[in-house]
Amino acid sequence: LQTMMHGYFNKVPTMTGTMRNDGGLLFPFSDLNMFLQHVGAMFLGTSQSANMTEVNEEALIAAKNIFKYYNGDNYNLVDVLPSYVEMLTHSIFLSPDQKLAQYVSKYAPVYNYRLNYPGSKTMLSVYTATAPKEVQEEKEKLDSLKPVHGDDILYLFEMQPLETDQDFKFREDMVTYWTNFAKYQNPTPSGEDSVPSWAPYSVDKNIMLLDVKSKMVKNVEKERMQFWQEIHWNQKECERSFMPFSEKPSYNYFNGNSARP
């Protein structure tokens, strides 16, 4: 975070994004009290360490407050499945992704996306294979979680045969965007009119919602992202607002020049 805040990175056009339900890959406990006790602080970003023996009471309380914001006082995973997945999506994926887009876009174009297409192909069965039995039995609830983490690669690459016309249309659009970005550093360069135009993230926080009919929106999940800014990022950014001279890079790699300044 500190290097991003101070611009010490390679300033090139960037494409970054998330799935609508990236967090639908972790179903460790049907009793979410167990989740909070064992891994909650780590997955919700309130601990300074991934070693749970080093998690203090303050981190556990903070994790419980985040949990309550999303799920209330219900600790039954089946009951709160959609909001539980939303919580992990925002904590682990969407909030960090938006922070990355915010800082990189100060120096280079960022093309940010959120994949919303719930196609016939999904990684969900891989993630739920070890989930509690009562969760596995909730077929309708689970199906509503698509797309989940990794579903994008099932459309970008020919990993599984596609089944529907919508699947093929979605793949065609994704490949167009990704190929253009690889060739031109812009998913919709001048003259590209086969897909909706993709605006850079910028101060407007533009984001492409990828679907069969993709569209641009601004300020994705505005209320939730404001929550994470206040409960998580404000303190981290304050702690890292000053970059000591001793921590600055000795070589100027970040401008494509390996010579000493």
Side-chain angles (χ1 to χ4, degrees):
L1 177 61
Q2 192 171 35
T3 58
M4 301 299 293
M5 289 175 63
H6 295 275
Y8 290 110
F9 58 88
N10 198 7
K11 301 172 181 67
V12 296
T14 302
M15 179 183 283
T16 179
T18 59
M19 307 299 103
R20 181 170 60 87
N21 280 316
D22 262 318
L25 80 168
L26 298 165
F27 306 98
F29 307 102
S30 55
D31 179 358
L32 293 176
N33 271 305
M34 297 290 289
F35 165 82
L36 285 173
Q37 291 172 21
H38 291 279
V39 295
M42 180 175 65
F43 287 137
L44 298 178
T46 63
S47 171
Q48 298 297 317
S49 170
N51 185 341
M52 293 308 295
T53 64
E54 299 176 3
V55 175
N56 58 31
E57 184 179 4
E58 183 180 357
L60 291 173
I61 292 173
K64 189 169 184 178
N65 287 338
I66 294 171
F67 181 93
K68 189 170 184 177
Y69 176 78
Y70 281 88
N71 307 290
D73 293 317
N74 193 333
Y75 294 89
N76 183 292
L77 177 56
V78 172
D79 291 346
V80 299
L81 188 58
S83 56
Y84 164 81
V85 169
E86 181 186 44
M87 175 183 71
L88 293 185
T89 297
H90 294 171
S91 170
I92 304 171
F93 299 99
L94 184 61
S95 175
D97 178 71
Q98 293 302 291
K99 189 56 61 175
L100 172 71
Q102 173 190 332
Y103 282 118
V104 176
S105 64
K106 293 180 179 180
Y107 302 95
V110 172
Y111 297 95
N112 194 224
Y113 67 87
R114 194 178 196 194
L115 196 154
N116 278 1
Y117 177 59
S120 64
K121 300 301 176 183
T122 180
M123 298 288 289
L124 190 58
S125 61
V126 176
Y127 305 137
T128 58
T130 57
K133 183 179 178 181
E134 54 268 40
V135 173
Q136 295 183 25
E137 292 172 348
E138 295 290 329
K139 304 295 185 185
E140 188 173 337
K141 276 188 177 182
L142 289 173
D143 194 59
S144 71
L145 297 178
K146 299 187 300 185
V148 296
H149 189 66
D151 281 2
D152 49 347
I153 64 173
L154 301 179
Y155 292 94
L156 277 176
F157 305 102
E158 294 186 4
M159 301 179 66
Q160 299 177 5
L162 300 185
E163 298 177 4
T164 69
D165 290 342
Q166 285 194 327
D167 284 351
F168 282 104
K169 170 65 167 58
F170 184 69
R171 169 180 281 175
E172 182 180 348
D173 288 356
M174 275 197 78
V175 170
T176 297
Y177 282 133
W178 263 248
T179 302
N180 281 338
F181 182 76
K183 292 171 66 176
Y184 308 113
Q185 293 79 57
N186 186 333
T188 50
S190 177
E192 178 60 72
D193 58 4
S194 65
V195 288
S197 182
W198 193 331
Y201 186 80
S202 75
V203 294
D204 295 325
K205 298 184 178 180
N206 296 312
I207 184 168
M208 177 66 79
L209 297 185
L210 292 172
D211 210 323
V212 172
K213 294 184 178 180
S214 299
K215 63 179 181 179
M216 294 297 306
V217 299
K218 300 178 189 293
N219 273 311
V220 65
E221 300 283 3
K222 184 177 180 179
E223 178 185 313
R224 294 292 202 244
M225 293 304 99
Q226 182 63 34
F227 169 80
W228 283 100
Q229 181 64 42
E230 293 175 3
I231 202 169
H232 184 76
W233 296 111
N234 280 347
Q235 180 179 349
K236 290 185 178 297
E237 288 171 331
C238 181
E239 292 170 349
R240 294 159 177 81
S241 61
F242 174 68
M243 172 74 84
F245 183 79
S246 61
E247 294 184 14
K248 294 181 180 180
S250 299
Y251 291 88
N252 195 14
Y253 294 116
F254 308 98
N255 291 318
N257 181 359
S258 60
R260 289 186 182 274

